[in-house]
Amino acid sequence: MGGLLLAGVGALFVPIGAMLWVHLLVALCAVTVLVRLAHREVPFPLALAQLRLGGDDPAVLRARVLSAVACLPQGRPDLTLSRLRSVLPDLTRVLGPDHPETLSTRLLSLQVRGETGNLPDRLTAIRHLIDDITPVLGPGHPDTLAARHCLAEWLGQDGRTDEAEAAYEDVIATGTEHLGADHNLVLIARSSLTILRYDCTGPDNGAAVDDMTAIVAAMERALGPADPTAASTRRLLTQWQSTQAGSGAQG
């Protein structure tokens, strides 16, 4: 009975406000269309934030960087680069070229460009960034170490093994001093160095297998067994151990 009474009362008010609701819906649709036209390829919530706070608001700039990062797991590095190229000049202008967020975004842009072949002289570019980032953040800052790890990785990919090994060892030593031996950046650098050495010598490198066994144990202790880095490194170690066992059986 109460439900019928409520429905009856509602029926009296709906016709009265019907045109008002129509006008509100039309206005909302118009705003939505205008926002999408003004901010193509921009997530709708971010476009609304830009409209409300302005494009130079630091929160909006951070959200633009995050929207670029979000494209990487989707397999869209092209859109990531497009968004980073768009936001970097604004970060530099609003926050300054030496601001940590500007430097961090520069690093992300260089990493994506270098890995996708959009950075012709990537070693020179990452060295320039390291020169810019180290005096501001310090040698032991995670972003500084990430940039130096990137340099080591690219040196290894270019076949400059000795330089790559030295660069990894430097990252490990500096990271251990400033962040601790169980920090994920230190553990990843140790893993990368071990992979480099294993790839240079082949499956008979028992020392590399032993080193990776210790690294996996440290990752699972510090990061947890379910951590993606620990899990992927464990899978790689299992492959090495399987190959080593097969090689020993054949011998």
Side-chain angles (χ1 to χ4, degrees):
M1 183 66 182
L4 291 175
L5 179 62
L6 184 61
V9 173
L12 293 175
F13 285 93
V14 169
I16 296 174
M19 290 307 297
L20 175 61
W21 283 109
V22 169
H23 287 306
L24 288 174
L25 287 172
V26 169
L28 179 60
C29 290
V31 169
T32 301
V33 170
L34 289 173
V35 168
R36 295 300 289 170
L37 288 175
H39 303 278
R40 293 182 186 275
E41 288 291 334
V42 175
F44 184 63
L46 175 56
L48 285 177
Q50 288 176 308
L51 192 67
R52 183 171 67 89
L53 301 175
D56 287 348
D57 187 275
V60 171
L61 294 174
R62 294 186 196 100
R64 289 171 64 188
V65 175
L66 291 176
S67 75
V69 175
C71 298
L72 289 174
Q74 302 170 8
R76 301 196 61 185
D78 55 334
L79 186 53
T80 296
L81 286 176
S82 174
R83 290 180 178 179
L84 290 176
R85 287 192 182 103
S86 174
V87 73
L88 256 175
D90 294 335
L91 280 169
T92 304
R93 175 175 51 81
V94 175
L95 301 179
D98 292 336
H99 192 278
E101 292 183 41
T102 305
L103 295 170
S104 179
T105 305
R106 276 183 62 193
L107 171 60
L108 175 61
S109 178
L110 286 182
Q111 286 174 317
V112 177
R113 290 173 63 196
E115 292 298 334
T116 56
N118 288 293
L119 192 60
D121 194 355
R122 61 183 186 174
L123 292 177
T124 299
I126 196 67
R127 284 191 173 109
H128 284 163
L129 176 60
I130 292 170
D131 289 341
D132 290 342
I133 206 171
T134 303
V136 177
L137 301 181
H141 190 278
D143 284 349
T144 307
L145 292 170
R148 291 164 65 184
H149 184 281
C150 185
L151 172 63
E153 186 175 14
W154 288 349
L155 285 168
Q157 291 173 2
D158 287 356
R160 298 164 65 168
T161 306
D162 291 342
E163 294 175 75
E165 284 196 32
Y168 280 130
E169 289 171 348
D170 194 37
V171 170
I172 294 166
T174 305
T176 300
E177 177 186 355
H178 290 272
L179 303 177
D182 286 340
H183 192 277
N184 63 322
L185 282 172
V186 176
L187 295 172
I188 289 171
R190 288 178 59 193
S191 173
S192 299
L193 175 58
T194 304
I195 291 170
L196 177 68
R197 288 171 173 167
Y198 182 89
D199 289 342
C200 290
T201 58
D204 293 331
N205 190 340
V209 176
D210 292 341
D211 287 345
M212 191 62 86
T213 302
I215 293 166
V216 168
M219 284 182 173
E220 292 181 342
R221 181 183 66 252
L223 309 178
D227 178 82
T229 301
S232 63
T233 309
R234 162 64 72 183
R235 287 193 295 270
L236 178 61
L237 173 61
T238 301
Q239 293 175 5
W240 287 7
Q241 290 170 332
S242 176
T243 302
Q244 187 183 46
S247 177
Q250 291 178 0

